[in-house]
């Protein structure tokens, strides 16, 4: 998860943010469901994580996100070693379902580094699903396609947190991407990823 400054949450409405969360969660679930045991030790575009490491990180983030949407206390477990791809697929669905409730976006909640506006927690969840979902897909040779509206929301989310995330070491240096490149490619570049990464 990306710890960051939460004083300026991005404006987002349930009616637009939740469909994007659902689309990204479905893409993550499809990706995770296709990961083979012999791919768990492979490198990913997120340099500090192997496929297995990334499954552990993403699974715990999504579990934490579902608790945040329900306004439940956090467990403080951190990255879970040995998390299965099937569990990550399940957690993606659970997180999307938890954020389907309009009241999930109201007030504040516990997530990641502490208490923050619930809308901001949902926005971080979107960024985590999109970027780390792509990381998993790219590392394991699977597609990760998002619609244009979702891609634009992801781009706004990533650009909104990029400076703080880089300061905290959560994002690497930005990767130059053409200004007329697809929105998701620009989001990847802003998140320190090369959209053409091939291992």
């Amino acid at each position: 998860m990306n710890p960051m400054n939460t004083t300026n949450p991005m404006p987002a409405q349930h009616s637009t943010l939740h469909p994007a969360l659902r689309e990204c969660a479905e893409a993550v679930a499809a990706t995770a469901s296709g990961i083979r045991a012999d791919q768990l030790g492979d490198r990913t575009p997120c340099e500090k994580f192997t496929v297995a490491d990334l499954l552990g990180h993403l699974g715990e983030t999504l579990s934490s996100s579902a608790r945040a949407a329900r306004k439940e206390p956090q467990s403080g477990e951190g990255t879970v070693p040995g998390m299965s791809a099937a569990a990550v697929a399940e957690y993606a669905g659970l997180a999307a379902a938890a954020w389907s409730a309009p009241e999930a976006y109201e007030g504040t909640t516990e997530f990641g580094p502490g208490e923050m506006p619930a809308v901001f927690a949902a926005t971080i969840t979107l960024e985590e699903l999109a970027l780390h979902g792509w990381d998993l897909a790219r590392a394991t040779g699977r597609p990760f396609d998002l619609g244009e509206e979702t891609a634009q929301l992801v781009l706004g989310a990533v650009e909104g947190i990029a400076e703080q995330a880089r300061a905290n070491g959560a994002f690497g240096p930005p990767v130059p991407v053409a200004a007329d490149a697809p929105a998701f490619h620009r989001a990847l570049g802003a998140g320190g990823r090369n959209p053409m990464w091939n291992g």
Side-chain angles (χ1 to χ4, degrees):
M1 196 180 310
N2 299 327
M4 57 197 69
N5 189 329
T6 62
T7 56
N8 294 303
M10 294 179 57
Q13 299 298 321
H14 165 263
S15 60
T16 55
L17 190 51
H18 178 253
L21 279 165
R22 185 178 63 241
E23 182 179 351
C24 287
E26 289 172 353
V28 166
T31 295
S33 297
I35 294 175
R36 305 187 311 269
D38 65 345
Q39 294 178 311
L40 295 177
D42 290 353
R43 296 176 58 241
T44 74
C46 193
E47 291 186 359
K48 61 185 177 181
F49 290 139
T50 63
V51 170
D53 294 335
L54 192 51
L55 287 170
H57 169 78
L58 188 54
E60 174 51 30
T61 297
L62 294 173
S63 176
S64 176
S65 176
R67 290 192 293 271
R70 296 189 297 262
K71 309 297 195 293
E72 296 173 356
Q74 296 296 331
S75 68
E77 293 174 359
T79 297
V80 178
M83 170 123 11
S84 70
V88 172
E90 181 180 0
Y91 281 134
L94 291 172
W99 287 108
S100 68
E103 59 269 24
Y105 298 77
E106 297 173 357
T108 60
T109 191
E110 281 186 56
F111 189 47
E115 190 171 343
M116 63 181 66
V119 167
F120 196 62
T123 301
I124 295 173
T125 301
L126 178 67
E127 168 266 323
E128 290 276 302
L129 282 165
L131 295 191
H132 286 322
W134 180 86
D135 289 336
L136 282 175
R138 201 71 180 178
T140 57
R142 300 183 63 80
F144 193 84
D145 300 318
L146 300 177
E148 182 60 25
E149 187 171 343
T150 293
Q152 288 288 350
L153 284 172
V154 171
L155 175 60
V158 174
E159 288 182 339
I161 66 172
E163 183 177 352
Q164 187 67 30
R166 272 192 284 276
N168 292 336
F171 284 0
V175 175
V177 176
D180 60 352
F184 190 45
H185 283 197
R186 285 179 278 145
L188 293 169
R193 290 151 170 84
N194 179 355
M196 300 297 110
W197 187 93
N198 61 7

